[in-house]
């Protein structure tokens, strides 16, 4: 199977926003739950948010209220809207089918204070 392709990261000041995209074309996309993960320097990769094929979302407490996961099944793309970014959000962000560990190369998000 192919790897997802994450994009949309960049450099932003604290309080700013970014929208990440995860392109994951495939025959099972519309029924596959996807998740966003991140790995900060010196830390383990952690789960942030998940979304079912029909759009039901869940979040870890550290991002709930600031981040929104969504998907467009027609475009076979998953998104992560990140608002009110904080320096502790600095990490490489990845997406994958939940449970698969089949991440892409990731996209770097750097938040300055």
């Amino acid at each position: 199977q192919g790897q997802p392709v994450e994009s949309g990261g960049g450099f932003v000041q604290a309080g700013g926003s970014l929208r990440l995209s995860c392109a994951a074309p495939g025959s099972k996309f519309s029924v596959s739950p996807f998740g966003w993960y991140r790995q900060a320097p010196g830390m383990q990769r952690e789960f942030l948010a998940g979304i079912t094929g029909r759009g039901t979302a869940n979040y870890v407490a550290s991002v709930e209220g600031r981040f929104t996961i969504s998907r467009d099944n027609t475009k076979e793309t998953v998104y992560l809207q990140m608002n009110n970014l904080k320096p502790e959000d600095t990490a490489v962000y990845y997406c994958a089918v939940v449970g698969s560990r089949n991440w892409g190369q990731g996209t770097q998000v750097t938040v300055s204070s």
Side-chain angles (χ1 to χ4, degrees):
Q1 71 189 119
Q3 293 178 316
V5 178
E6 301 94 342
S7 63
F11 299 85
V12 65
Q13 291 187 340
S17 298
L18 288 171
R19 189 180 77 154
L20 307 184
S21 297
C22 171
S27 61
K28 302 296 184 183
F29 179 87
S30 65
V31 296
S32 298
F34 271 81
W36 280 98
Y37 307 75
R38 71 185 178 193
Q39 188 166 17
M43 302 292 288
Q44 297 270 61
R45 192 166 299 183
E46 64 173 334
F47 171 84
L48 300 175
I51 186 166
T52 70
R54 295 188 177 185
T56 300
N58 66 286
Y59 305 87
V60 297
S62 61
V63 306
E64 190 165 13
R66 298 189 299 123
F67 292 8
T68 303
I69 188 171
S70 61
R71 67 193 293 159
D72 186 331
N73 287 343
T74 299
K75 297 178 179 174
E76 297 185 316
T77 301
V78 182
Y79 304 96
L80 186 68
Q81 178 67 46
M82 305 187 295
N83 297 326
N84 192 25
L85 283 161
K86 306 177 184 297
E88 52 263 43
D89 295 319
T90 295
V92 179
Y93 284 69
Y94 302 87
C95 69
V97 174
V98 172
S100 74
R101 307 181 75 87
N102 184 43
W103 300 289
Q105 293 300 115
T107 184
Q108 175 73 51
V109 171
T110 303
V111 184
S112 64
S113 60

